[in-house]
Amino acid sequence: MEPQTEAFTELDIHLSIGQARTDIDDLDLGIIRLLRMRRAVSQRIQRTRLRADGPQIDPGREDDIARVYRSHFGDSGDDVAAAVLRACRS
Ligand SMILES: O=C(O)C(=O)C[C@]1(C(=O)O)C=C[C@@H](O)C=C1
């Protein structure tokens, strides 16, 4: 392979990874925005239960949520659900 062609290919790869990383950064900001909105709603529910002298946590509901994440991400869905639920605790 010609050195020039190889250099161009490397630049091409570098640019395309850079663009993809910009896309990922934008997507992460969207996920963070959604997660903050989710946390606000979740904390409202948790506080309502606590004010009524109920438990903060509803394990049955958390199992249902984990099942949904598992159906989308397989075994790692459990970890994703656990992280989401943890981030949304009061
Ligand atoms: O759905 C509820 O009852 C909530 O309190 C919300 C939520 C959640 O973040 O999804 C939070 C804590 C509970 O253990 C279960 C679920």
Side-chain angles (χ1 to χ4, degrees), residues 38 42 45-46 49 56-58 61-62 65 85 88:
R38 188 194 190 285
S42 174
I45 298 173
Q46 294 172 59
R49 249 196 322 266
Q56 180 181 353
I57 299 307
D58 181 337
R61 172 71 176 150
E62 295 200 357
I65 289 167
L85 288 164
C88 291

Side-chain angles (χ1 to χ4, degrees), residues 1-74:
M1 190 181 285
E2 300 252 327
Q4 251 185 334
T5 309
E6 193 176 316
F8 176 76
T9 302
E10 278 175 23
L11 178 63
D12 220 30
I13 290 168
H14 183 74
L15 289 175
S16 111
I17 288 176
Q19 179 55 55
R21 284 182 174 168
T22 299
D23 292 346
I24 284 176
D25 290 346
D26 287 346
L27 289 165
D28 280 341
L29 283 178
I31 291 170
I32 289 165
R33 196 162 40 242
L34 285 173
L35 197 50
R36 289 174 67 94
M37 289 168 62
R38 188 194 190 285
R39 181 175 62 179
V41 175
S42 174
Q43 290 182 343
R44 203 162 66 225
I45 298 173
Q46 294 172 59
R47 280 191 222 116
T48 301
R49 249 196 322 266
L50 286 173
R51 269 200 303 273
D53 290 327
Q56 180 181 353
I57 299 307
D58 181 337
R61 172 71 176 150
E62 295 200 357
D63 287 346
D64 290 343
I65 289 167
R67 202 168 304 118
V68 172
Y69 278 87
R70 217 162 33 239
S71 75
H72 286 274
F73 298 109

